[in-house]
């Protein structure tokens, strides 16, 4: 025999916050935009890749938020906190960090290979349209970005 108990009280709603995607309207003049290959940017935004590999250090940017844009696009797709700048990476470190940078080839920049540790990555709900500065392949300053 199956017995059902019907309640006249409404169900209790959970107080767990609903995750949301941040929305931003403008990029400030002093902000930095890191230009990234589209496939690497997607891996970063999907939280699969936590180290971005570059040929130059980014020590002044450690502890700051940066914007993230694909090299083939005129849209900022997200932002992240630069938590650390590792390097130059040795061959041993390169191999040890492979699951974090997802690059299967040898060190891209030889003895000048650095890893930017990205944390608190946020994918934007509404990408921000920007004007790309001609020739920018690594960093772009915010003052060039706003349309």
């Amino acid at each position: 025999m199956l017995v059902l108990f019907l309640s006249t009280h409404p169900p209790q709603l959970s107080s767990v916050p609903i995750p949301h995607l941040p929305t931003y309207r403008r990029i400030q003049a002093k902000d930095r935009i890191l230009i990234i290959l589209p496939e690497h940017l997607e891996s970063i935004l999907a939280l699969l890749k936590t180290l971005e590999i570059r040929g130059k250090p980014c020590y002044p940017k450690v502890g700051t938020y940066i914007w993230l844009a694909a090299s083939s696009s005129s849209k900022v797709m997200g932002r992240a906190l630069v938590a650390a700048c590792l390097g130059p990476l040795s061959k041993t470190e390169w191999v040890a960090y492979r699951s974090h940078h997802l690059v299967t080839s040898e060190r891209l920049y030889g003895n000048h290979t650095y890893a930017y540790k990205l944390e608190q990555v946020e994918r934007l709900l509404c990408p921000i349209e920007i004007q790309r500065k001609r020739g920018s392949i690594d960093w772009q300053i915010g003052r060039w970005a706003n349309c």
Side-chain angles (χ1 to χ4, degrees):
M1 171 171 28
L2 178 65
V3 178
L4 296 175
F5 294 98
L6 299 175
S7 172
T8 58
H9 300 291
Q12 292 292 327
L13 298 176
S14 170
S15 63
V16 176
I18 298 171
H20 69 282
L21 297 171
T23 57
Y24 300 95
R25 296 187 182 227
R26 289 189 60 82
I27 295 171
Q28 301 301 312
K30 63 180 173 43
D31 290 351
R32 298 292 189 254
I33 304 165
L34 184 59
I35 310 301
I36 304 171
L37 289 173
E39 59 272 18
H40 293 303
L41 176 58
E42 189 51 44
S43 294
I44 290 168
L45 294 174
L47 306 178
L48 301 172
K49 177 180 165 99
T50 57
L51 295 177
E52 173 60 14
I53 302 302
R54 297 294 164 135
K56 298 176 189 170
C58 67
Y59 300 118
K61 295 166 187 78
V62 172
T64 65
Y65 281 91
I66 60 169
W67 298 99
L68 307 171
S71 58
S72 62
S73 169
S74 293
K75 293 182 180 178
V76 168
M77 302 300 289
R79 73 177 206 152
L81 174 70
V82 179
C85 180
L86 310 174
L89 300 180
S90 68
K91 289 179 182 180
T92 305
E93 290 170 319
W94 176 258
V95 173
Y97 293 141
R98 183 160 279 145
S99 65
H100 298 280
H101 60 68
L102 305 180
V103 179
T104 56
S105 64
E106 292 299 314
R107 288 183 299 168
L108 297 176
Y109 304 100
N111 292 332
H112 301 285
T113 301
Y114 293 84
Y116 302 178
K117 183 170 176 43
L118 303 177
E119 294 181 351
Q120 299 179 29
V121 175
E122 301 173 323
R123 181 187 296 268
L124 298 182
L125 177 62
C126 299
I128 301 171
E129 190 76 31
I130 62 170
Q131 178 181 347
R132 289 285 307 278
K133 183 180 176 193
R134 290 187 97 185
S136 65
I137 56 170
D138 284 331
W139 292 98
Q140 181 169 322
I141 299 172
R143 71 170 182 241
W144 293 100
N146 293 305
C147 296

